[in-house]
Structures are given as C-alpha cells and as structure tokens.
Amino acid sequence: MRVLHAALAIAIATGLAACSLTRPPVERATYDLALARGTPPAGAVKPVALRIKPFRTAAPYDGREFLYRTADGQLVADFYHGFSAGPGELVTAATASWIQASRLFGAVLEPGISADAPYSLEGTVLAVYGDLRDPKQPAAVLDLQVYLIHAAPAARELVLDRRFRERVEVADASPAALAQGFNEALARILVRLERELAAADLKR
C-alpha cells in the first residue's frame, strides 16, 4: 500500500511539473503617461529657473498595478495591467516635459540636475484609479497636490499650493481605455497648472 501511495504521489508531482513547464508565462501589459501637447504656451517667459522635484505618491496608490474602485467601495488591484513605472515617477517626467515645452521659464531643471534654481515645483499623487462604481460610466480619476516654492534668502516661501482633481469618463472599463483616460486627466491638470504658473508673480 505504501508503495502504491508513493507511486501515486510521484505521478501527481510529475504531472504538476509538466503542466508548469508547458503553461505559458503570465504576461503583464503596462502603460505610460505620454502626453501629446496641443495647447500653445500660456504666457511670456519668466526669467527664472524652475526645478522639478520628484512627485511622491500616497498609499495605497504607490504601486504600479491599476486600481479599480468598485460598487461596494473597495479598491481592487489588477495584477495583469498597470503603469510602466510608479505613478509619481511618470507624473514627474510628464510634468517636466510639459513645462519645458511651455517656455514659461528661462530654464526647467529635471530631477538629478545639480544646478541651482530659485524656484522648485513638487507635489503628491493623492489618488489614481479607475472608477467602476457605475458600470455605465467608467472613468479614470487623477488627483494631484502641487506646490511652487521660492528659495528666498531668508526662508523658503510657499508661492502656490493647489489641488487638481480630474475625472475623465472613458468608453469602457478596459485597461487600455482607462490608460487613455489617465493621460487625458493629467493633460487637463497640466493645462490648469500652466495657467496658474503663468499668472504667478515670480521674483528673481
């Protein structure tokens, strides 16, 4: 009987191993935040340099997986679909590219550049998720808090403190549609941010 049990166990183990060898690997689809700027520059060039600091991401949105808010209020993670990098990293890169193209500042320094700049822009991704609470109206939601800080000789001065939240309805609840929605939400936020920066009275 023991011999029979041992033979059966070996057969099961061999079968499972064979399945694991033939099973195709799990493929994950990832998406960028890649914006196509279609708006003209918002105003005259300000003769100061601006440093873009890395954006932080608040938990539980700091992972790469797409998160979906469901009808019962839960946040559900999608292991198979997500961002190509952390949301904060992608927002930082997109923001730097957008403001550089705006030509609002004499220079825009990306993270990692060691040159001095009198102003810095930083912020936090407060939320980024697919809103699936209403199956008939799925939407991509992006919520950012942004600060413009002046490194004055005496002390750091908070020049701008704004919260930008956008909800973009999408055609369906597919990850590809939501990814497009996230891009549209960020583009809308950056248009609003650019206007705020253009209107700010900045000192050298």
Side-chain angles (χ1 to χ4, degrees), residues 42 79 83 90 118 142 156 159 193:
F79 177 79
F83 294 108
L90 293 177
L142 181 59
R156 286 163 56 89
V159 179
L193 173 62

Side-chain angles (χ1 to χ4, degrees), residues 119-201:
Y119 289 88
S120 63
L121 189 75
E122 55 190 85
T124 302
V125 179
L126 298 175
V128 53
Y129 61 90
D131 187 353
L132 308 184
R133 289 175 294 180
D134 183 351
K136 296 181 180 179
Q137 290 185 324
V141 176
L142 181 59
D143 194 351
L144 301 183
Q145 185 79 34
V146 181
Y147 307 96
L148 177 65
I149 298 172
H150 180 214
R156 286 163 56 89
E157 175 189 1
L158 182 62
V159 179
L160 193 68
D161 178 0
R162 294 289 186 273
R163 182 170 180 174
F164 302 99
R165 186 181 187 276
E166 289 288 343
R167 184 181 187 276
V168 177
E169 293 188 4
V170 295
D172 55 62
S174 67
L178 287 169
Q180 291 180 352
F182 293 137
N183 276 280
E184 175 62 26
L186 181 56
R188 292 182 186 179
I189 287 173
L190 292 179
V191 167
R192 294 167 59 191
L193 173 62
E194 183 177 330
R195 290 173 183 162
E196 294 269 5
L197 294 175
D201 182 16

Side-chain angles (χ1 to χ4, degrees), residues 13-25:
T14 303
L16 290 175
C19 289
S20 63
L21 290 174
T22 58
R23 182 182 303 164

